[in-house]
Amino acid sequence: MALRRLPRAPRLGLRSRITLAFAASGLLLSALLAGSTWAITRESLLTQREATATRQAYQNAGYVKTQIPDEADAESIRLLLTSLVTNAAPLVRTEGGDGVEAWVSDELDQDALPTSLKDVVQRGDPARMRYDLDGTPELAIGIPLPEQNVSYFEIVSLDELQSTLESLAVSLFGASLVTTLSGAALGYWISRRTLRPLSNVGVAAEAIAGGRLDTRLEGGDDPDLEALVTSFNHMAQALEERIERDGRFASDVSHELRSPLMTLAASIEVLATRREEMPDESAQAAVDLMAADIARFQQLVDDLLEISRFDAGVARLSLDDVSPVELVHHAVEASTDRDVPIEASPDLDEMVVRADKRRLVRVIANLLDNAEKYGGGATAVTVDRTDGRVEIAVEDAGDGIPAEDRDLVFERFSRGAGGAGRRTGSSDGVGLGLALVTEHVRLHGGEVRVEDRPDGQSGARFVISLPANAT
Ligand code: ADP
């Protein structure tokens, strides 16, 4: 049975995780603090309230005890109760000699008292109880007065205390929320600060990958990061040296090959001038083949030398204000086909860009030569201005380049576009032309691409896109 790996659940980024951890710690701590503050405050407020209410109930009970007349009737008890100075609701339970009980109160019914409390007081014990009456918290205190055969009760409303506790809960909740959000903000800030060195490493690596090999990380004064900075800079240094060595090797080899090649070229030229004197046709063919291969070899060495200058990072632009339309005219004049139509709107005649004229003329001429070699000749060269860029395009009416080969043709030693035979193709080029075009244009901050012709006809359209910011 085939084992299928399930896709991993997406993990949160480091910054989000640090922020969340801080927020969770803030929430936990503030919830703990708020919970315990609320519980302690509630307990102490209730205890205080109960103590005050109990004291007052005993005072009132004492007053009732002394003031209640023997054989008191309900009316005199009610009068006595109204004379009490209390913010509680008082109730008196009397028990006649015949065991018949009666309740006297100005405000409440005896049902307002919990039965269990009544039972305890009836058995002769003073009692106190917190309970809920129709959704309102109440405190009931009952004090038996056996000598008078009555029991004195007070019901104190804890409503005010409840609302105080509710406002306290709201404030504590708000404080917890603020603490949690502050924790998240602190976490975000700390994560940014902590990860800044890592993003610096990312930026530096990106710069090195983009060709700025001399990029290094700044040490700073953080001993914890020193090891990372040192090893990164070591790696960058080793990479730079290695690439320089490789570049130097290619350029040294090319240099060394130049003079024997020149000798060979001169010799073959001498032979070529005597070509007609050769009796054998196969000898003539051999001279032709050698002349063609030596020319190709020289082209390869020249291209290699040039490309190694890019690799070594020593290629420099000699910038001037140049007109793209004029560049195209120069390139067409320098190419084999001088009749290629140039399409540029008249408003572009006045336009100038900062560019190295010699390099760009060579680049356009190279594209024109390729159109000649592989596309039966260029059909048009266009100059356009789009979104802050100038685009110079060379079109031909050949077979075009298949979509899957459009990146490959710009690679070094890429020849004969079209699948497997690509690298061993039939063209007489060396496969460095478009790679050099890319390097020249990249040095200008631009890019090259190949696409279909916009009119839908067969053929390739090579586009050089340059930033027009210096216009
Ligand atoms: P070379 O030096 O061999 O001409 P290039 O880098 O200039 O190398 O071109 C690479 C390959 O891209 C060529 O071998 C050719 O197959 C293809 N190519 C270049 N220009 C065109 C074009 N205009 N039409 C079709 N194919 C092209």
Side-chain angles (χ1 to χ4, degrees):
M1 201 166 71
L3 183 73
R4 282 188 60 198
R5 277 176 191 274
L6 291 175
R8 276 191 183 196
R11 286 193 73 184
L12 280 178
L14 197 53
R15 187 175 294 175
S16 314
R17 277 184 282 152
I18 294 178
T19 310
L20 269 182
F22 269 81
S25 314
L27 178 66
L28 194 76
L29 280 177
S30 57
L32 260 173
L33 212 66
S36 45
T37 307
W38 189 81
I40 292 168
T41 313
R42 178 178 179 274
E43 206 42 51
S44 108
L45 285 179
L46 275 173
T47 316
Q48 258 178 35
R49 189 84 180 88
E50 278 178 3
T52 322
T54 311
R55 217 171 25 248
Q56 195 183 37
Y58 269 103
Q59 267 174 15
N60 290 336
Y63 183 72
V64 169
K65 185 179 175 181
T66 52
Q67 298 301 317
I68 196 165
D70 298 336
E71 305 295 324
D73 59 356
E75 198 43 48
S76 58
I77 295 175
R78 184 167 286 116
L79 265 176
L80 179 61
L81 290 185
T82 46
S83 69
L84 289 174
V85 184
T86 177
N87 49 8
L91 288 101
V92 167
R93 174 181 170 276
T94 59
E95 198 174 326
D98 46 6
V100 179
E101 66 164 18
W103 287 87
V104 184
S105 168
D106 219 20
E107 302 166 41
L108 288 168
D109 193 45
Q110 59 136 321
D111 293 340
L113 283 169
T115 323
S116 50
L117 178 93
K118 286 192 278 190
D119 290 346
V120 175
V121 177
Q122 198 171 345
R123 282 200 299 273
D125 296 319
R128 180 172 71 191
M129 189 174 172
R130 273 203 307 262
Y131 65 105
D132 205 82
L133 181 66
D134 303 330
T136 334
E138 309 278 357
L139 172 69
I141 302 159
I143 301 161
L145 302 172
E147 286 165 28
Q148 286 70 25
N149 238 352
V150 297
S151 305
Y152 177 76
F153 293 88
E154 268 190 9
I155 297 179
V156 183
S157 170
L158 297 178
D159 208 18
E160 206 178 300
L161 194 67
Q162 174 94 344
S163 50
T164 310
L165 285 173
E166 272 168 13
S167 353
L168 177 69
V170 170
S171 315
L172 288 173
F173 178 76
S176 299
L177 201 71
V178 170
T179 313
T180 308
L181 291 178
S182 311
L186 185 71
Y188 182 73
W189 182 73
I190 287 181
S191 68
R192 272 183 61 126
R193 275 190 70 99
T194 318
L195 295 180
R196 194 173 297 152
L198 281 189
S199 57
N200 288 349
V201 172
V203 171
E206 197 75 21
I208 291 174
R212 293 199 295 286
L213 296 175
D214 55 348
T215 310
R216 297 288 181 273
L217 284 177
E218 300 247 339
D221 50 6
D222 189 334
D224 294 332
L225 292 174
E226 215 170 279
L228 172 72
V229 170
T230 313
S231 40
F232 183 91
N233 287 346
H234 243 115
M235 181 203 70
Q237 179 77 29
L239 190 71
E240 188 180 9
E241 282 170 7
R242 174 85 190 263
I243 289 177
E244 266 176 20
R245 219 175 25 244
D246 290 354
R248 257 200 318 273
F249 178 74
S251 98
D252 290 350
V253 170
S254 312
H255 260 301
E256 292 302 318
L257 285 174
R258 250 183 158 182
S259 37
L261 263 178
M262 269 164 74
T263 318
L264 267 178
S267 314
I268 210 76
E269 219 178 296
V270 174
L271 274 181
T273 52
R274 304 266 171 98
R275 187 177 180 280
E276 299 308 322
E277 294 164 26
M278 289 180 189
D280 197 346
E281 260 188 35
S282 57
Q284 289 180 0
V287 169
D288 293 344
L289 275 176
M290 271 177 75
D293 264 0
I294 286 172
R296 217 165 78 88
F297 205 172
Q298 275 185 314
Q299 179 68 50
L300 171 68
V301 167
D302 286 347
D303 286 355
L304 269 177
L305 255 178
E306 176 131 35
I307 220 156
S308 64
R309 287 175 61 76
F310 282 108
D311 290 347
V314 292
R316 295 277 173 268
L317 289 175
S318 141
L319 291 173
D320 276 316
D321 283 343
V322 292
S323 147
V325 180
E326 210 181 299
L327 279 181
V328 171
H329 277 286
H330 280 299
V332 169
E333 275 160 30
S335 74
T336 38
D337 184 2
R338 289 159 159 253
D339 300 327
V340 184
I342 298 169
E343 295 166 16
S345 63
D347 61 309
L348 291 175
D349 287 348
E350 298 300 311
M351 178 192 182
V352 285
V353 290
R354 294 286 295 166
D356 186 325
K357 190 173 171 183
R358 186 189 59 86
R359 283 179 198 274
L360 284 189
V361 167
R362 272 194 55 193
V363 161
I364 303 165
N366 201 327
L367 294 181
L368 286 165
D369 288 346
N370 274 359
E372 186 73 32
K373 270 196 283 183
Y374 308 110
T379 50
V381 185
T382 61
V383 185
D384 288 303
R385 190 178 179 163
T386 45
D387 298 337
R389 300 187 80 81
V390 180
E391 295 204 330
I392 300 169
V394 177
E395 283 178 28
D396 62 49
D399 294 337
I401 294 182
E404 66 272 18
D405 285 333
R406 286 184 185 168
D407 287 333
L408 296 174
V409 288
F410 293 102
E411 279 183 16
R412 294 175 185 189
F413 299 109
S414 163
R415 286 183 292 139
R422 197 170 53 81
R423 284 183 179 274
T424 54
S426 54
S427 86
D428 58 355
V430 295
L432 284 175
L434 288 178
L436 275 169
V437 164
T438 312
E439 297 290 354
H440 283 297
V441 175
R442 195 182 287 157
L443 209 58
H444 283 85
E447 55 198 44
V448 203
R449 62 177 190 274
V450 59
E451 56 193 30
D452 287 326
R453 280 176 47 166
D455 56 9
Q457 307 246 23
S458 153
R461 175 180 153 95
F462 281 86
V463 186
I464 301 164
S465 172
L466 296 168
N469 48 5
T471 56

